[in-house]
């Protein structure tokens, strides 16, 4: 009897022991050996993973990036002022991640989701890893739809398609940011979610961009992700990856998204800073050996997905700064080889006031041509030819006063093309507005007009077309192809509009 009772009790104890799961989670802690320059060297985190998030006592986060047998190199994502040797570090067991969702649009945040615009906290329902594999080749589809920038020189001559990666490069202060911002502004009402990722810029420059977007009602469809120049290099380094994760969310929902990286020169410098502090071997220009990979794995994530995979797209406009117009420097050549084309902004054109300062000869779009609006394609080839012939002749013409009639005509036409390609910032144009004036200059309708009246003529032409041929304008904007008769109708209206221009005082007419 007693034995039976004992047996019962023992069985119950055994069941309890078997079914009880320990609720304790193993949490590894380490000790800081050294902090400085945005890096901490930590001992005791023997099983921490690469890219794992770690936490310092007052909430500062870090990412483990250098795993050595006894010491782990951590890049800090926050202020290191209150960190010192001897404090404890906890491994979180979490990959570095970023918030995603529609609620982010219209906001200014950092890579970890911290609100920087002084607004209310953001409702975050989901976080995704900042490093994600790029879509497989089988998931990708050719680029088929244009991404309209609203800038005549780009949409007509160097068109960009949705899902393309087009590099914007140029020296300091040549209008790189301006081209990207105008493109974002032009997406208003077009259903393209935009992400502007600012890396290593001064906070005042970023504030200016945010203000411009707000003024042009473009902030509603844009998310701004910022790591400014006084943030630690670790945060500057991870920000583009986090911003890409945020943009991919829209692509993966089958929508179209656009991401601007402003700029990747500063991103590369942040990575160089980290690598040197971590004592990785320096290579060319002191950049570490994997500098190509940090940009290729970032830009490979932009693509156009096949319909079976949702059909969404992510277009990337990475910006890179050149020094003394050297586009063959290390980082620019890397990026040129990764992207599907480049827009080169020339300081010489900028100084001459030819804005936007896009150098047509040095710019190229490797995939966008197939997506161009038919109305713009109809004018593009003649325009490019007229312009390149003119560029060649202009230099030569300076040395010679006696030019034959044909050369003079090419130069006069070229001058007008150049004038038509000028555009003020933050003033994007619809496809019909662009096609109208460009086809007018192609057809020689502006040849008799003084060059300094071309801008005025453009206004007249645009107003006349909208007033008299609204239906044809709609067709052009929708991307329909126009017949010869329809073009003739357009030219008729343009001729009338130009004839009706007020003669300037003191001029014969
Ligand atoms: P940074 O190297 O400092 O980043 P950036 O190359 O991005 O400069 P922006 O800041 O875009 O250049 O432009 C430089 C200046 O040129 C700005 O003051 C801007 O307002 C002006 N600018 C750029 N494009 C145009 C344009 N199309 N029309 C008039 N002004 C322009
Ligand atoms: Mg800029």
């Amino acid at each position: 009897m007693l034995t039976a009772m004992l047996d019962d009790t023992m069985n119950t104890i055994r069941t309890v022991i078997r079914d009880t799961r320990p609720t304790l989670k193993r949490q590894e802690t380490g000790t800081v050996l050294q902090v400085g320059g945005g890096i901490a060297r930590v001992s005791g985190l023997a099983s921490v993973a690469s890219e794992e998030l770690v936490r310092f006592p007052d909430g500062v986060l870090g990412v483990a990036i250098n795993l050595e047998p006894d010491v782990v190199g951590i890049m800090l994502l926050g202020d290191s002022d209150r960190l010192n040797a001897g404090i404890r570090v906890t491994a979180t067991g979490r990959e570095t991640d970023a918030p995603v969702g529609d609620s982010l649009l219209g906001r200014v945040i950092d890579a970890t989701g911290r609100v920087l615009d002084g607004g209310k906290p953001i409702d975050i329902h989901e976080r995704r890893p900042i490093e994600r594999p790029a879509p497989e080749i089988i998931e990708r589809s050719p680029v088929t739809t244009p991404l309209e920038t609203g800038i005549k020189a780009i949409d007509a001559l160097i068109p960009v398609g949705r899902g393309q990666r087009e590099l914007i490069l140029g020296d300091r202060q040549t209008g790189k940011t301006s081209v990207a911002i105008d493109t974002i502004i032009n997406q208003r009402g077009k259903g393209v979610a935009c992400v502007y990722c600012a890396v290593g810029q001064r906070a005042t420059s970023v504030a200016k961009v945010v203000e411009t977007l707000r003024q042009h009602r473009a902030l509603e469809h844009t998310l701004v992700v910022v790591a400014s120049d006084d943030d630690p290099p670790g945060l500057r380094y991870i920000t583009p990856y986090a911003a890409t994760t945020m943009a991919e969310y829209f692509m993966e929902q089958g929508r179209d998204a656009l991401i601007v990286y402003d700029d990747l020169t500063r991103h590369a410098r942040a990575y160089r800073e980290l690598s040197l502090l971590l004592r990785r071997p320096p290579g060319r220009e002191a950049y570490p050996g994997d500098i190509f990979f940090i940009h290729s794995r970032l830009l490979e994530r932009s693509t156009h997905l096949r319909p079976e995979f949702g059909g969404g797209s992510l277009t990337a406009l990475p910006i890179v700064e050149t020094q003394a117009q050297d586009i063959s420097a290390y980082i620019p050549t890397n990026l040129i080889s990764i992207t599907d084309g480049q827009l080169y902004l020339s300081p010489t054109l900028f100084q001459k006031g030819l804005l936007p300062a896009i150098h047509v000869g040095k710019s190229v779009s490797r995939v966008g041509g197939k997506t161009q609006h038919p109305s713009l394609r109809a004018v593009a080839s003649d325009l490019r030819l007229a312009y390149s012939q003119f560029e060649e002749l202009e230099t030569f013409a300076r040395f010679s006063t006696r030019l034959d009639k044909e050369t003079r005509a090419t130069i006069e036409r070229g001058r007008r093309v150049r004038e038509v390609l000028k555009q003020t910032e933050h003033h994007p144009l619809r496809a019909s507005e662009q096609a109208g004036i460009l086809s007018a200059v192609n057809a020689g309708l502006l040849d008799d007009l003084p060059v300094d009246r071309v801008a005025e003529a453009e206004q007249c032409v645009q107003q006349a077309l909208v007033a008299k041929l609204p239906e044809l304008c709609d067709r052009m904007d929708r991307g329909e192809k126009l017949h010869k008769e329809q073009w003739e109708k357009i030219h008729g209206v343009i001729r009338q509009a130009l004839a009706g221009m007020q003669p300037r005082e003191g001029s014969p007419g």
Side-chain angles (χ1 to χ4, degrees):
M1 176 73 181
L2 198 65
T3 351
M5 268 178 69
L6 248 173
D7 268 357
D8 253 11
T9 321
M10 284 306 288
N11 277 341
T12 320
I13 290 173
R14 271 193 208 109
T15 323
V16 169
I17 290 175
R18 198 188 60 222
D19 292 348
T20 308
R21 292 270 174 272
T23 51
L24 283 178
K25 222 168 85 188
R26 194 177 65 87
Q27 216 175 33
E28 201 173 37
T29 58
T31 313
V32 173
L33 299 175
Q34 199 185 21
V35 204
I39 292 283
R41 293 164 67 78
V42 172
S43 72
L45 291 179
S47 53
V48 74
S50 177
E51 311 277 326
E52 184 173 334
L53 214 52
V54 300
R55 196 182 292 278
F56 292 88
D58 48 3
V60 175
L61 293 173
V63 181
I65 53 165
N66 225 36
L67 308 183
E68 287 164 21
D70 306 313
V71 180
V72 176
I74 310 268
M75 56 182 183
L76 303 172
L77 302 184
D79 213 356
S80 62
D81 289 353
R82 273 174 294 165
L83 307 183
N84 44 39
I87 58 172
R88 309 290 288 167
V89 193
T90 326
T92 60
R94 242 173 69 198
E95 239 178 305
T96 314
D97 54 16
V100 296
D102 277 289
S103 54
L104 299 179
L105 291 177
R107 304 305 299 267
V108 184
I109 59 173
D110 78 359
T112 59
R114 203 159 52 96
V115 175
L116 302 178
D117 55 9
K120 57 181 188 334
I122 306 175
D123 264 345
I124 291 168
H125 302 292
E126 196 184 344
R127 299 183 73 92
R128 292 184 184 169
I130 63 164
E131 293 271 7
R132 304 173 77 220
E136 305 273 342
I137 299 286
I138 200 103
E139 296 172 27
R140 298 175 184 234
S141 136
V143 173
T144 50
T145 321
L147 181 100
E148 293 160 73
T149 63
I151 300 173
K152 282 172 285 187
I154 303 179
D155 287 353
L157 299 176
I158 315 140
V160 179
R162 294 189 181 181
Q164 184 174 347
R165 298 148 313 160
E166 182 82 3
L167 183 68
I168 301 176
L169 85 162
D171 279 12
R172 283 196 58 251
Q173 289 286 305
T174 47
K176 303 183 294 300
T177 303
S178 172
V179 165
I181 295 305
D182 285 359
T183 308
I184 293 181
I185 292 174
N186 196 42
Q187 305 314 312
R188 197 176 57 208
K190 292 197 169 72
V192 179
C194 302
V195 177
Y196 176 76
C197 170
V199 180
Q201 297 185 44
R202 268 170 296 131
T204 47
S205 313
V206 182
K208 222 174 96 190
V209 167
V210 173
E211 195 40 45
T212 308
L213 291 173
R214 183 169 292 134
Q215 273 171 11
H216 292 85
R217 288 184 293 116
L219 199 57
E220 291 131 61
H221 63 260
T222 308
L223 158 66
V224 181
V225 191
V226 185
S228 66
D229 58 353
D230 46 34
D231 279 320
L235 190 63
R236 276 181 274 145
Y237 167 62
I238 67 159
T239 297
Y241 302 99
T244 309
T245 295
M246 298 173 196
E248 269 171 349
Y249 164 85
F250 301 107
M251 170 174 75
E252 284 165 16
Q253 284 190 327
R255 291 154 71 179
D256 292 309
L258 164 71
I259 186 163
V260 173
Y261 303 101
D262 195 0
D263 62 44
L264 292 185
T265 314
R266 295 193 178 93
H267 178 241
R269 284 191 201 135
Y271 189 59
R272 174 169 67 182
E273 200 175 322
L274 281 174
S275 305
L276 292 174
L277 287 164
L278 290 165
R279 297 180 202 153
R280 290 182 179 173
R284 182 171 158 194
E285 289 180 26
Y287 287 105
D290 58 346
I291 193 79
F292 184 89
F293 180 54
I294 70 161
H295 287 152
S296 63
R297 73 170 191 264
L298 178 72
L299 294 169
E300 279 303 309
R301 290 164 68 180
S302 298
T303 188
H304 178 205
L305 295 175
R306 284 166 60 143
E308 307 88 284
F309 296 93
S313 73
L314 176 58
T315 312
L317 294 179
I319 296 180
V320 65
E321 185 185 299
T322 51
Q323 310 259 319
Q325 308 188 48
D326 181 12
I327 61 172
S328 57
Y330 194 22
I331 304 301
T333 37
N334 277 357
L335 285 162
I336 287 173
S337 68
I338 296 167
T339 47
D340 313 304
Q342 78 265 354
L343 297 168
Y344 178 67
L345 294 165
S346 144
T348 324
L349 294 179
F350 193 92
Q351 278 150 19
K352 285 189 189 159
L354 301 171
L355 300 173
I358 296 167
H359 190 296
V360 176
K362 286 187 185 165
S363 304
V364 60
S365 172
R366 282 188 266 276
V367 295
K370 296 184 200 83
T371 72
Q372 197 174 24
H373 270 315
S375 51
L376 285 170
R377 191 174 315 156
V379 298
S381 59
D382 288 349
L383 204 66
R384 195 179 257 279
L385 188 69
Y387 198 56
S388 49
Q389 280 177 344
F390 159 69
E391 277 186 326
E392 230 169 77
L393 284 176
E394 199 193 25
T395 343
F396 161 75
R398 246 183 262 146
F399 302 108
S400 141
T401 43
R402 266 185 293 153
L403 296 170
D404 61 87
K405 207 166 147 230
E406 204 180 320
T407 314
R408 236 186 356 250
T410 313
I411 292 180
E412 285 305 314
R413 173 72 58 83
R415 284 207 179 117
R416 282 159 185 80
V417 171
R418 186 161 71 185
E419 204 59 28
V420 164
L421 290 180
K422 278 190 188 172
Q423 196 167 335
T424 47
E425 24 168 27
H426 317 323
H427 193 258
L429 298 174
R430 282 181 287 131
S432 56
E433 291 172 315
Q434 301 184 22
I437 188 71
L438 293 174
S439 78
V441 67
N442 257 352
L445 305 185
L446 305 182
D447 285 355
D448 298 331
L449 207 69
V451 174
D452 59 356
R453 295 197 76 187
V454 167
E456 195 189 328
E458 185 175 349
Q459 293 287 326
C460 284
V461 167
Q462 279 164 5
Q463 282 163 9
L465 286 179
V466 172
K468 301 208 172 120
L469 300 171
E471 200 237 348
L472 277 186
C473 288
D474 275 351
R475 279 170 185 245
M476 286 196 264
D477 292 337
R478 281 200 304 269
E480 282 180 34
K481 194 167 177 197
L482 302 191
H483 314 299
K484 202 159 162 251
E485 299 84 63
Q486 288 169 320
W487 276 116
E488 274 163 15
K489 223 165 154 185
I490 290 175
H491 287 167
V493 168
I494 295 177
R495 268 197 202 93
Q496 245 180 15
L498 294 174
M501 270 173 71
Q502 291 293 324
R504 195 186 285 153
E505 271 176 44
S507 79

